Amino acid sequence: MKTSNKLKIFNDPIYGFITIPNSDIFDLIEHKYFQRLRRISQMGLSYLVYPGANHTRFHHAIGCMYLMQKAVNVLCFKGVEISEEEERALYIAILLHDIGHGPFSHAMEHSIVNGISHEEISMRFMQKLNEEFNGSLTLAIQIFEGKYDRPFLCELISSQFDMDRADYLKRDSFYTGVAEGNVNSERLITMLNVVDDRLVVEEKGIYSVEKFLVARRFMYWQVYLHKTGLVAEQLLTRVLKRAKELTIQGVELRASDALSFFLRNEITSKNFDDDTLEIFSRLDDTDIVSAMKDWQYHDDFVLKNLCSMIINRDLLKVKIKNKPIKRSTLDKHISKLVAKYHISKKDAEYFVFSNEISNLAYQSKTQKIKILQKSGKVVDITKASDQFNIKALSKAVTKYYICYPKE
């Protein structure tokens, strides 16, 4: 029998060489569910704004695992007890935290599956893998769900400063070329410690935390909530919604078997079973792009124009305002469209819409970033920081946008 070397090394453009910690992790990375992440873009359609942003969820998951290895080493060095089993579970939980993302990351959640989030689908994948791997993911699932009795382990997976954020800010900033988002993740990790089973940052790391929060705010306004990226994602959601509407009316649309299944069926968290999960695992960005390339020549006015806009990057006009968009403004644009193309008001609403965006860099109410002072006292970052804008970063800023066709 051929034996394979399971201690492989990845060469990552950000961290350099990343070693797979053990053969169990190697087997998970090799699994088809995880390999699918190579075909799911990390930042959806942001490459229409930042041409370099073509990196995938696969890159990100491997990067998170690397940072988790760093965090475990730092904490163990400082005398925090982490068992081998807990360490292994941390690597598995962070590696699989995004495994439930659909094509283009977030667009699917609002169009062809209803009321089931990518976190819930990640959970289903982890449970399925747990069956395949003889229950060896049980502890990882507990930590992922935040149900383990050592909270700091759960905080490394999901909190205001977790390994997920530590990687995606640095990675997305690198691939977009937006230097403002470049955080020194590794220095921050070096400053981590544990007090009363909760994650804290040592006082000398306070400026790195401030930089991290400010970088997060910049990245949201400049990248994740960039108006062109927003309108592209809205159009993609509408493409899938329209395709589903037409399919249900009996219109034949060319699509992969996996995509056709989700267009034909109303999928919610109640009927998302193992068979659905298997079909979902066959879906990736390729299915959607391939379908849109076909659909841009379809007879349906709405579907063909929405697809053509994305494929050829000829998007809607978008304006961002500080106040909610008036209904009369929307109606004016809808009437223009109805008159120009002789389409129904309902069809016109696919091209004219408004929404709001909100940016909250630091959720001080729910999960706090705790600073360990030299005296041994633990305080919230907003109290420890002498930078007045940290308090400001814990207030949500909401803006409103309207999209409509160019003249």
Side-chain angles (χ1 to χ4, degrees):
M1 190 177 128
K2 196 179 96 174
T3 58
S4 69
N5 170 22
K6 295 190 173 187
L7 297 173
K8 298 261 189 243
I9 290 172
F10 288 99
N11 191 352
D12 184 78
I14 294 166
Y15 309 122
F17 293 110
I18 297 176
T19 311
I20 296 176
N22 56 54
S23 60
D24 298 347
I25 299 284
F26 177 86
D27 291 338
L28 280 171
I29 290 171
E30 287 271 274
H31 197 281
K32 63 177 184 177
Y33 290 166
F34 191 79
Q35 289 294 320
R36 180 185 78 98
L37 297 182
R38 290 182 185 271
R39 303 185 301 279
I40 305 279
S41 83
Q42 170 71 11
M43 293 179 62
L45 289 161
S46 291
Y47 64 81
L48 293 175
V49 185
Y50 299 101
N54 275 309
H55 56 303
T56 66
R57 291 266 159 201
F58 183 91
H59 282 124
H60 166 60
I62 299 289
C64 289
M65 181 193 71
Y66 168 80
L67 292 181
M68 189 63 85
Q69 287 173 279
K70 289 270 178 206
V72 167
N73 289 340
V74 163
L75 293 176
C76 289
F77 178 74
K78 291 178 183 177
V80 178
E81 280 187 27
I82 298 173
S83 70
E84 268 184 43
E85 195 193 355
E86 287 170 337
E87 180 180 349
R88 192 177 151 282
L90 278 174
Y91 298 153
I92 292 172
I94 199 67
L95 193 69
L96 303 180
H97 77 284
D98 270 347
I99 200 167
H101 267 290
F104 292 108
S105 296
H106 292 283
M108 293 285 288
E109 289 176 61
H110 310 293
S111 46
I112 64 173
V113 291
N114 275 323
I116 179 161
S117 66
H118 70 268
E119 290 91 352
E120 202 178 326
I121 299 172
S122 292
M123 195 67 248
R124 308 277 179 107
F125 273 124
M126 286 168 87
Q127 285 160 346
K128 189 86 181 109
L129 287 166
N130 199 24
E131 287 169 29
E132 278 187 46
F133 286 82
N134 305 318
S136 61
L137 277 70
T138 305
L139 182 56
I141 290 171
Q142 258 187 299
I143 292 172
F144 177 78
E145 287 188 297
K147 291 177 179 171
Y148 191 56
D149 59 7
R150 301 190 74 192
F152 81 91
L153 295 175
C154 306
E155 287 166 347
L156 285 166
I157 304 290
S158 177
S159 64
Q160 290 287 294
F161 175 64
D162 52 36
M163 297 309 105
D164 174 28
R165 290 181 185 190
D167 180 78
Y168 78 62
L169 283 176
K170 194 170 180 64
R171 190 167 297 278
D172 296 350
S173 134
F174 175 87
Y175 280 98
T176 54
V178 175
E180 290 86 349
N182 187 11
V183 291
N184 192 343
S185 311
E186 292 172 78
R187 170 164 166 82
L188 263 166
I189 289 167
T190 310
M191 297 298 135
L192 289 178
N193 211 327
V194 172
V195 174
D196 298 333
D197 258 342
R198 306 307 293 237
L199 210 55
V200 296
V201 180
E202 290 163 1
E203 192 170 17
K204 59 189 171 193
I206 193 164
Y207 299 117
S208 298
V209 176
E210 288 174 356
K211 167 90 166 54
F212 170 79
L213 292 174
V214 171
R216 190 168 139 77
R217 180 176 181 273
F218 274 135
M219 286 296 282
Y220 268 86
W221 283 136
Q222 227 172 314
V223 178
Y224 309 128
L225 298 175
H226 188 288
K227 62 179 191 172
T228 307
L230 276 177
V231 73
E233 189 161 304
Q234 283 286 342
L235 286 171
L236 180 55
T237 305
R238 284 166 159 70
V239 163
L240 296 169
K241 193 174 147 210
R242 182 60 165 191
K244 195 170 177 102
E245 206 174 86
L246 292 171
T247 304
I248 288 164
Q249 287 168 13
V251 177
E252 277 293 312
L253 290 180
R254 276 177 62 179
S256 68
D257 291 347
L259 181 54
S260 293
F261 171 84
F262 285 97
L263 294 177
R264 281 195 310 271
N265 298 290
E266 197 56 52
I267 302 299
T268 64
S269 61
K270 287 189 177 67
N271 62 1
F272 199 105
D273 56 17
D274 278 1
D275 292 338
T276 311
L277 188 73
E278 191 54 43
I279 298 166
F280 186 87
S281 77
R282 292 183 225 149
L283 268 184
D284 56 50
D285 292 5
T286 324
D287 298 69
I288 308 295
V289 173
S290 174
M292 288 195 297
K293 282 172 69 182
D294 259 350
W295 297 346
Q296 66 180 323
Y297 304 109
H298 197 271
D299 295 340
D300 181 69
F301 178 89
V302 174
L303 187 66
K304 76 172 180 188
N305 281 291
L306 290 173
C307 291
S308 174
M309 283 174 175
I310 297 172
I311 293 291
N312 303 310
R313 201 193 176 280
D314 184 12
L315 307 168
L316 297 170
K317 194 172 178 63
V318 55
K319 283 191 174 168
I320 295 189
K321 309 276 187 188
N322 291 322
K323 289 182 179 165
I325 310 298
K326 290 182 181 144
R327 184 67 236 182
S328 58
T329 310
L330 283 165
D331 289 341
K332 185 182 78 182
H333 288 294
I334 287 168
S335 303
K336 261 191 199 172
L337 211 54
V338 168
K340 187 173 178 181
Y341 294 105
H342 309 293
I343 55 174
S344 69
K345 182 171 179 280
K346 185 170 170 286
D347 285 356
E349 282 172 348
Y350 272 97
F351 303 93
V352 180
F353 48 89
S354 66
N355 211 328
E356 61 179 57
I357 44 176
S358 194
N359 187 353
L360 178 60
Y362 177 51
Q363 289 163 317
S364 58
K365 288 187 177 70
T366 48
Q367 306 162 312
K368 299 179 186 305
I369 295 180
K370 299 286 195 184
I371 302 295
L372 173 62
Q373 295 182 322
K374 288 187 178 70
S375 63
K377 195 178 169 198
V378 174
V379 295
D380 181 30
I381 177 74
T382 52
K383 294 200 169 60
S385 172
D386 56 6
Q387 208 178 323
F388 67 91
N389 71 349
I390 295 297
K391 277 198 177 72
L393 290 177
S394 57
K395 290 187 175 67
V397 177
T398 302
K399 293 183 181 181
Y400 306 88
Y401 66 91
I402 178 170
C403 300
Y404 53 89
K406 294 166 184 164
E407 289 300 320

